[in-house]
Amino acid sequence: MASVVQTVKAGSFLRDAVSIGTAATSSELIHDAETSGESLQRHPLGVRPSGNALTADQDLSLSMGVFGQIPDSLLLLLLEFLDQDALLKLSQTCRGLFAFATHDQIWRELTLREIDSEVLWRGSWMSSLLKRSTRLPDIDCRHLYSDALYRPFQCTYVPLEPFALNVPNHNQIPMLKDLSLDEFARNWSDKPFVLTEPVRGWSVFKEWDEKELLERYGQVKFRAEAVDWTLTNYVEYMNNNRDESPLYLFDRGFVDKMDIEVGVNGAYRSPECFNEDLFILLGEHRPDHRWLIIGPERSGSTFHKDPNATSAWNAVIRGSKYWIMFPNSVTPPGVYVSDDQSEVTSPLSIAEWLLNFHEEARQTPGCIEGICHAGEVLHVPSGWWHLVVNLEPAIAITQNFVPKSHLRSAINFLKNKPDQVSGFRSTIQDPYALFMERLQDAHPDLYESMQANVEKKRKWEEVVAAGDEGGADRGGFSFGFGDDGLEEELS
Ligand SMILES: O=C(O)CCC(=O)C(=O)O
Ligand SMILES: [Fe+2]
């Protein structure tokens, strides 16, 4: 599931991607970064970026035997295949291999791969897996030059605020005090915006903070990427980890787990302007559509589109989130998408994307950005790319919905991309057929107009196919219906 863009809610699951890597950094560059105010954390063992090897008179990789000849990022990948005993033995062979075999990212992979049950967080993945505190001995690795080891530290400590500041005027996400259902349908269903006031009456907004949640739900298990951890354990992790891409709590079952009511008299409710939601017709068969999101600073979601061509709102209860978004037709810089959009590859971490692509992204036409603060709700229109990063520890609730203006996109998605449809229970064989049946019962007029649309598309495809017969080469020009193209062309 990891790399299928449309089939996951959270981009944080899309991290099995290619590392594009930051430019090799020399010690002079490190110095410059220090004076320019960029974060410059010394690697705990003193490992330095690979550029330093060019002028060095010592090199620890020369004593690593055959391992010293393998590119550092490949070596890390190979070490991920070892078990904990082998890693510990290897770490005792020489200083260079000590740095590689104790690299905490490897221990994270090992833990997440090997341990089914909950692992008690002890401040690092290595300590947590070994079930004891493992303060690493102070071994001097200043003469080990490795971007693969150094870069995650650079990314972990890079300050995020500068990326969220000085947003150019034309990129600014609109901030609205309030919006009616009607105004939303008329003018706003295709545009990102932030509602600045809707959350204030919610009891979750008044009551939820870390302390309160721990008291009430400390022993409840929530999903954080591939693991189910108690909230107490997750909060320990959240407050004391150095992961470049922190594990993100993203739980779709929170309403039941926390035993809360949703709606007018409930703990929270959808803001009025988002209340038209045609996926309600699916009743108990509707796909996953609401999530509790908790994460530390630096956690967030890498670029993705929301599932099944739905729109979403995202309410920040605590903390703040920086959002950067692009319309359907603009693939964000640094993101690579397969033709059918089922595969998305982007740099390994959010910080890495920010360091390498944020500047270019900001200048790309269509870019929309802004900060959503506690008490505010952000709208993500159907089909929009978005990357989100928590600027401070954050709690949020998000919900997906299908307004009438995006009904065609959702239907086309269910019909034409069945392999990318997500969130339905496995007992639902044909989500498209089920939805059309429900639509026909509840809104026959709407059903008719959607059917007419499908018929127009079928005829169009016949015409195009006929034109294609004979194998004429049309050169560079191609003309077809994407999901949204269909909507634009035929509505
Ligand atoms: O809060 C986040 O990390 C963003 C979640 C998201 O992608 C969404 O709500 O659609
Ligand atoms: Fe999303």
Side-chain angles (χ1 to χ4, degrees):
M1 87 174 224
S3 58
V4 181
V5 63
Q6 307 278 12
T7 62
V8 290
K9 170 69 177 172
S12 49
F13 295 92
L14 303 176
R15 286 195 187 115
D16 59 338
V18 191
S19 164
I20 291 186
T22 50
T25 330
S26 71
S27 47
E28 286 72 32
L29 287 179
I30 289 180
H31 194 74
D32 283 344
E34 234 161 21
T35 48
S36 70
E38 273 175 39
S39 142
L40 216 275
Q41 189 75 15
R42 180 185 176 275
H43 185 282
L45 302 173
V47 175
R48 287 186 280 166
S50 61
N52 290 274
L54 298 174
T55 53
D57 50 8
Q58 286 182 56
D59 189 341
L60 290 183
S61 66
L62 299 177
S63 21
M64 281 166 50
V66 68
F67 290 111
Q69 289 161 31
I70 302 175
D72 55 357
S73 47
L74 181 58
L75 178 55
L76 282 180
L77 279 178
L78 291 175
L79 296 190
E80 281 179 16
F81 287 92
L82 301 186
D83 62 20
Q84 35 182 300
D85 285 344
L87 277 176
L88 288 175
K89 283 191 183 120
L90 196 65
S91 76
Q92 288 158 21
T93 55
C94 65
R95 279 193 277 169
L97 284 171
F98 175 79
F100 278 96
T102 57
H103 186 57
D104 213 36
Q105 178 66 29
I106 299 180
W107 291 83
R108 170 172 164 156
E109 295 299 326
L110 199 60
T111 311
L112 297 180
R113 188 180 69 220
E114 293 205 339
I115 310 293
D116 295 337
S117 53
E118 185 169 3
V119 170
L120 207 61
W121 183 250
R122 292 170 194 259
S124 74
W125 290 97
M126 190 178 181
S127 299
S128 306
L129 185 60
L130 296 175
K131 297 198 176 77
R132 61 186 153 85
S133 164
T134 50
R135 256 202 92 235
L136 295 183
D138 204 4
I139 289 182
D140 180 2
C141 295
R142 265 178 307 152
H143 298 293
L144 185 63
Y145 312 106
S146 162
D147 288 340
L149 292 180
Y150 183 79
R151 187 196 44 76
F153 278 88
Q154 185 194 17
C155 287
T156 297
Y157 292 99
V158 71
L160 299 170
E161 283 75 16
F163 295 104
L165 295 176
N166 304 319
V167 174
N169 276 346
H170 51 274
N171 286 9
Q172 228 16 289
I173 190 163
M175 310 290 281
L176 310 176
K177 213 163 151 207
D178 204 4
L179 197 63
S180 69
L181 193 61
D182 248 26
E183 280 170 304
F184 174 75
R186 254 184 292 121
N187 297 319
W188 289 95
S189 65
D190 263 328
K191 300 181 191 124
F193 59 86
V194 169
L195 287 179
T196 54
E197 292 195 351
V199 168
R200 310 227 175 257
W202 298 2
S203 66
V204 297
F205 182 66
K206 289 186 214 141
E207 292 165 16
W208 280 8
D209 57 19
E210 187 182 299
K211 187 164 167 281
E212 175 71 20
L213 288 180
L214 281 177
E215 262 168 39
R216 285 204 224 167
Y217 309 107
Q219 291 319 304
V220 176
K221 288 195 175 196
F222 291 93
R223 173 125 294 222
E225 301 187 22
V227 296
D228 290 299
W229 280 8
T230 61
L231 189 63
T232 303
N233 199 26
Y234 182 75
V235 169
E236 275 293 315
Y237 167 83
M238 178 164 151
N239 293 335
N240 182 20
N241 81 85
R242 291 175 174 202
D243 284 348
E244 176 189 5
S245 303
L247 211 55
Y248 206 19
L249 188 152
F250 222 98
D251 192 291
R252 61 184 178 184
F254 73 102
V255 168
D256 291 337
K257 291 179 185 178
M258 300 167 99
D259 195 20
I260 57 176
E261 298 287 326
V262 182
V264 181
N265 296 315
Y268 80 89
R269 61 179 179 275
S270 165
E272 191 210 322
C273 62
F274 304 129
N275 270 344
E276 183 181 61
D277 178 6
L278 287 151
F279 266 15
I280 283 178
L281 297 176
L282 287 164
E284 76 280 16
H285 298 308
R286 84 172 290 167
D288 302 330
H289 68 292
R290 56 191 175 201
W291 285 262
L292 170 68
I293 307 174
I294 304 181
E297 180 185 346
R298 289 193 315 287
S299 62
S301 307
T302 52
F303 271 111
H304 67 284
K305 294 178 179 180
D306 270 11
N308 307 324
T310 55
S311 299
W313 56 260
N314 183 301
V316 180
I317 313 283
R318 292 287 173 265
S320 56
K321 291 172 185 283
Y322 169 69
W323 289 72
I324 180 160
M325 312 169 77
F326 290 89
N328 180 46
S329 55
V330 181
T331 306
V335 174
Y336 308 93
V337 188
S338 62
D339 285 347
D340 67 353
Q341 299 217 352
S342 66
E343 303 280 338
V344 173
T345 310
S346 64
L348 205 57
S349 72
I350 292 174
E352 193 173 15
W353 184 85
L354 290 169
L355 284 168
N356 286 286
F357 295 105
H358 182 261
E359 202 177 321
E360 182 186 341
R362 203 163 240 193
Q363 286 157 19
T364 303
C367 177
I368 297 288
E369 25 169 350
I371 299 178
C372 190
H373 295 96
E376 299 178 339
V377 177
L378 185 140
H379 169 237
V380 188
S382 161
W384 276 65
W385 291 100
H386 47 289
L387 172 144
V388 188
V389 62
N390 291 311
L391 299 175
E392 48 192 319
I395 304 174
I397 291 175
T398 183
Q399 227 171 263
N400 288 63
F401 65 103
V402 179
K404 210 184 284 170
S405 48
H406 286 299
L407 180 59
R408 276 188 190 136
S409 301
I411 290 177
N412 288 338
F413 195 91
L414 296 183
K415 182 168 193 299
N416 301 325
K417 300 191 170 173
D419 53 322
Q420 293 176 40
V421 166
S422 70
F424 284 87
R425 258 172 273 142
S426 54
T427 47
I428 308 298
Q429 298 286 315
D430 187 346
Y432 167 70
L434 177 68
F435 181 71
M436 292 310 270
E437 195 187 301
R438 298 278 170 104
L439 187 66
Q440 188 173 24
D441 286 350
H443 302 286
D445 295 354
L446 213 46
Y447 173 83
E448 287 306 326
S449 74
M450 293 297 136
Q451 284 295 81
N453 192 61
V454 168
E455 184 53 22
K456 274 189 199 168
K457 184 185 178 202
R458 196 185 57 72
K459 287 206 175 121
W460 172 256
E461 278 170 355
E462 273 174 21
V463 173
V464 171
D468 272 345
E469 267 165 29
D473 183 356
R474 291 155 165 261
F477 179 71
S478 78
F479 188 14
F481 291 110
D483 284 321
D484 293 354
L486 178 68
E487 205 168 325
E488 277 152 25
E489 296 288 334
L490 298 179
S491 47

